[in-house]
Amino acid sequence: MIRFFISSTFRDMFGERNLLHQTILPELRAYGETLGEYVEICDLRWGIDHGTARKTDKTIRIMHVCLQEMDKCHPYFIAFLGDYYGTVPKEDICIEGLKGERSFLVHADEMSLTQIELEYAVLQEPYKPSAEIRPICLFRHWKENGKAGIPQDRDAFQRQQELKERLRSPIHTDKIISIDYDAAWDAEKEEAAGLNQMAQDLLAEAKKIVAAAAKAYKPCNWIESEFQKAEGFCSRYTAHFAGRERQIREILAAVREDAIHTVCISGPSGYGKSTLLAKIYQEAPGRKCLVACGYGERSRNYLMC
């Protein structure tokens, strides 16, 4: 599965994120399926569950979740940058993360949460992405009738400009795919509009990344192709999986029993048997778990004979 992490400030980027969900992702997902890849995005604007923790602990948890999700999505990353710098934690806290052999340590009170994401995903000096799969950074420019911007002090505005200049500096230009786009402000919806060209440009670059990723894992024969499609089937059907905790516990317990060699799941058509099996397949790492789903053309035809 190819999973893009989405980074941006929230208050001024609703238009871009909505377009990403409603228009860009469906087409990108359809394209990925033609290559045997399932494409998803990680959008944390819906919030992070931090319970009743203290404000400082909440900020730390938010950033740790962001770093963990970026690790899971690596190297697939999309960032939208406007003029708004974003939220700067008031607490004097320190965030520490680790991606492979690259350590990451930052004093979160010195920068916005969005900049921390960019520091981690793009701006660290040791980070050198491949030529074909690089983070995509989109830079927004207001048209003449554009929005003046969300109110912020001059220092925050200046820090945002400096951040964009760093991303465009010669030492980082080979690390990112840079896209500039124009936008107008829809006062009624309170979001950016006129984003069709941006959508086309982003979709074109994202498709190149998906194609490069699919090429890197190109199957050698039809059997490997069937396994690849089965992996895509499992990723797709479990992307938004919820519930079935009791059944999962019971099946996993049976899978771990050496004396049990076969587990049969029965139920009416459309009740989610295949999705449950796909979840079991992903929840049983290190176990020999064979799932015959008959998803690919060759295996489907074989199972029908």
Side-chain angles (χ1 to χ4, degrees):
M1 178 170 67
I2 297 172
R3 190 163 173 256
F4 288 92
F5 185 90
I6 309 302
S7 175
S8 80
T9 50
F10 294 144
R11 293 176 61 188
D12 63 333
M13 288 292 175
F14 282 124
E16 285 83 350
R17 285 181 179 251
N18 289 337
L19 189 65
L20 184 64
H21 280 276
Q22 296 166 7
T23 303
I24 300 173
L25 178 59
E27 187 169 342
L28 187 60
R29 186 175 287 165
Y31 176 74
E33 288 184 354
T34 66
L35 303 175
E37 293 285 353
Y38 179 67
V39 181
E40 186 57 274
I41 62 175
C42 177
D43 186 348
L44 296 181
R45 67 169 168 170
W46 308 118
I48 297 171
D49 182 16
H50 39 58
T52 57
R54 294 180 300 121
K55 187 174 181 180
T56 302
D57 294 335
K58 289 180 181 179
T59 304
I60 294 174
R61 171 155 176 74
I62 288 171
M63 288 317 307
H64 274 298
V65 170
C66 286
L67 297 184
Q68 290 170 3
E69 292 302 319
M70 280 190 281
D71 281 347
K72 294 176 183 178
C73 295
H74 181 74
Y76 309 108
F77 183 88
I78 296 174
F80 294 95
L81 294 102
D83 293 327
Y84 184 56
Y85 185 57
T87 302
V88 178
K90 295 181 180 179
E91 304 88 351
D92 183 14
I93 61 175
C94 192
I95 303 296
E96 184 174 4
L98 183 68
K99 179 184 287 184
E101 297 180 353
R102 299 190 296 114
S103 62
F104 178 79
L105 188 65
V106 62
H107 290 280
D109 61 314
E110 297 176 358
M111 60 185 69
S112 69
L113 301 180
T114 304
Q115 181 172 351
I116 293 173
E117 293 174 354
L118 286 162
E119 295 283 349
Y120 188 55
V122 181
L123 293 171
Q124 292 187 82
E125 292 304 325
Y127 176 48
K128 293 183 179 181
S130 69
E132 295 180 309
I133 302 178
R134 291 175 290 162
I136 301 175
C137 293
L138 298 101
F139 300 88
R140 183 174 64 192
H141 307 279
W142 291 119
K143 296 178 180 179
E144 291 184 2
N145 61 339
K147 178 178 164 58
I150 291 177
Q152 60 180 338
D153 59 46
R154 186 174 182 81
D155 179 64
F157 177 82
Q158 184 61 36
R159 296 182 77 173
Q160 180 70 352
Q161 304 315 305
E162 292 173 356
L163 174 60
K164 291 189 286 188
E165 289 175 6
R166 282 182 63 201
L167 287 166
R168 293 179 178 277
S169 66
I171 63 172
H172 295 304
T173 51
D174 61 336
K175 291 183 178 182
I176 68 172
I177 297 170
S178 178
I179 298 176
D180 289 273
Y181 68 98
D182 295 324
W185 180 250
D186 187 324
E188 183 178 348
K189 294 183 178 179
E190 296 190 339
E191 63 182 37
L195 301 173
N196 290 338
Q197 186 60 51
M198 180 277 289
Q200 293 177 24
D201 294 342
L202 175 55
L203 185 61
E205 294 297 341
K207 281 184 175 180
K208 293 177 185 177
I209 291 175
V210 172
K215 182 180 179 181
Y217 300 101
K218 187 176 181 179
C220 298
N221 52 56
W222 76 268
I223 297 177
E224 289 188 4
S225 177
E226 292 298 313
F227 275 102
Q228 184 184 60
K229 290 177 179 178
E231 290 282 355
F233 170 88
C234 292
S235 297
R236 177 179 180 180
Y237 276 70
T238 59
H240 305 287
F241 189 95
R244 303 283 191 188
E245 290 88 356
R246 180 179 59 81
Q247 291 90 341
I248 291 174
R249 287 196 303 270
E250 293 176 354
I251 296 170
L252 286 177
V255 168
R256 297 187 181 100
E257 282 287 340
D258 294 333
I260 297 176
H261 302 288
T262 304
V263 176
C264 178
I265 300 175
S266 63
S269 176
Y271 269 45
K273 299 184 298 297
S274 297
T275 303
L276 180 58
L277 276 174
K279 185 65 174 178
I280 294 299
Y281 174 76
Q282 293 186 331
E283 292 290 326
R287 306 290 300 185
K288 187 175 181 180
C289 186
L290 179 62
V291 178
C293 63
Y295 187 69
E297 292 296 329
R298 297 289 291 271
S299 63
R300 187 185 300 121
N301 291 339
Y302 174 77
L303 292 174
M304 288 173 64
C305 293

